[in-house]
Amino acid sequence: MSTQTFKVAGMTCQHCVASVQEELGELPEVTNVEVSLDSGDVTVTSESGISKEAADAAVQEAGYTVAEWSRT
């Protein structure tokens, strides 16, 4: 399992959180997505990790941007 954490800019409500969770959750191998509205932190758990490009595209599809990326 791989866990990746990044910050998403522009989320203002629970609908925003749900949109980001939905788009990231549709990526292959993703098993869990946790989003904090207060901090903007997003934690994605997947089988073998997702690329930055895939995460960026999914977050953009939800209408937001990845502000900061870190890998754990």
Side-chain angles (χ1 to χ4, degrees), residues 33-56:
V33 179
E34 295 180 24
V35 180
S36 169
L37 178 59
D38 292 334
S39 66
D41 290 339
V42 176
T43 302
V44 177
T45 305
S46 61
E47 295 295 325
S48 61
I50 58 172
S51 69
K52 289 181 183 181
E53 295 80 11
D56 284 338

Side-chain angles (χ1 to χ4, degrees), residues 3-26:
T3 302
Q4 295 159 276
T5 304
F6 49 92
K7 289 195 178 286
V8 171
M11 295 186 298
T12 59
C13 65
Q14 288 301 321
H15 182 267
C16 303
V17 169
S19 294
V20 170
Q21 284 177 320
E22 180 180 346
E23 292 298 331
L24 286 166
E26 291 179 0

